[in-house]
Structures are given as C-alpha cells and as structure tokens.
Amino acid sequence: MFEHGAWYTGAISAVEYIKSEKKGTPGLQITVEVSDRGAITGVWWLTGSLVNNPDDKAASKVPQYEAAQIRCKQFGCNQEGLVHPETWLLHIQKTLIGQQASVMAEVNNYGDTSAQVICKPKAGGGGGGFARASATASPFAARPANSDPFAIGGDDPPF
C-alpha cells in the first residue's frame, strides 16, 4: 500500500495519451512500478490551466501543457521530438519508459491511490535533501557512551 504524501521511486512502465471522460481534457497518463509497493499512475494534464513551474523553485506559474513539456525534457525528450505531429507520443514513450521516477502518492478517503507528482529523481538518488557523507570521526567519541548531555552536575545548582 502507498501512504498519502509519501515519496516513492520506481521505473516508468507506461505512458499513454488519454482524455478525461467528463470534459475530454487531454493528458499523459504515466504508470510507475515501485518494486515493494506495486504500480501507481498519475497524469500530466495538457491544458492551459496554470500550475507551478517544475523548473522554478520560486513557484512561477505556467500552463499545464508547458509543465508537462518541461517534465518530458527533464527526462531527456528533445524539442524536435515533442513537436513532431505524428511521432511525438512515441518519442515520449521511448524516452520515459524504463527511466527512474520519483512519485508522491495521493490516497483519497475511499482508498484510491494516484501519483500526485511524477518527476525525475534528484541527483544522488535517495531523495530527502541529504547527501552521503564520509564519516571521518565518530560523533560519539567526544564524550563517554554513558554520558548524559542533559544531566546537571553537582557543581551546577538548578536555580
């Protein structure tokens, strides 16, 4: 099971062009296989509605179709392949399928799961904003193992 708001990494296994049943809104439905959780699917909508720019941490707004184009380019698609009228979808499928992707799970009140965000994993893997560091000295060597850093010594009255 996926947990709401949690990030997972997996391989993109499918990219399909879809239209919503109610309004006919176009989108790219992307399925990501997470090895220990199963498949999770999300959609990059292709409308003019404004969303946060995936390339801009200041959260400027761009149309959804432009955000999808930016995401495709982050995965390695090129502009020429994206605009070709007959092969644009095949270009996206060939470029994205098999690549690693990070997904944020969204679980609604009924237990239905979808990918709220699908993006290229951060450089260095793992995510979480941390990088592997080399341990040159033990952080525990500065004091004895049974030392309590919050203990009040006998020479130091509490008031």
Side-chain angles (χ1 to χ4, degrees):
M1 296 297 291
F2 291 93
E3 295 179 31
H4 181 75
W7 284 92
Y8 301 94
T9 300
I12 297 174
S13 60
V15 178
E16 300 296 328
Y17 179 70
I18 62 164
K19 289 192 176 187
S20 68
E21 293 178 10
K22 290 183 181 179
K23 296 182 181 178
T25 306
L28 290 172
Q29 180 173 285
I30 300 166
T31 303
V32 177
E33 294 287 335
V34 179
S35 63
D36 61 341
R37 304 287 174 152
I40 186 167
T41 301
V43 178
W44 291 342
W45 294 110
L46 304 173
T47 71
S49 298
L50 295 179
V51 295
N52 290 340
N53 182 342
D55 267 348
D56 184 7
K57 290 185 180 191
S60 63
K61 301 288 186 184
V62 295
Q64 286 181 323
Y65 65 84
E66 189 174 326
Q69 182 179 27
I70 290 168
R71 291 274 189 229
C72 286
K73 287 180 178 179
Q74 289 172 341
F75 279 97
C77 290
N78 60 48
Q79 185 65 24
E80 184 179 313
L82 291 172
V83 299
H84 193 280
E86 296 168 3
T87 60
W88 66 273
L89 181 59
L90 184 61
H91 172 66
I92 293 170
Q93 290 169 330
K94 284 184 173 184
T95 304
L96 271 64
I97 292 175
Q99 287 204 48
Q100 290 291 106
S102 291
V103 296
M104 180 192 285
E106 179 176 35
V107 182
N108 68 17
N109 293 339
Y110 303 105
D112 299 327
T113 303
S114 65
Q116 182 178 7
V117 178
I118 303 170
C119 59
K120 187 88 172 159
K122 300 264 189 261
F130 299 99
R132 183 174 293 275
S134 60
T136 56
S138 171
F140 308 107
R143 58 182 175 273
N146 62 354
S147 171
D148 181 357
F150 302 104
I152 297 173
D155 300 341
D156 195 14
F159 36 132

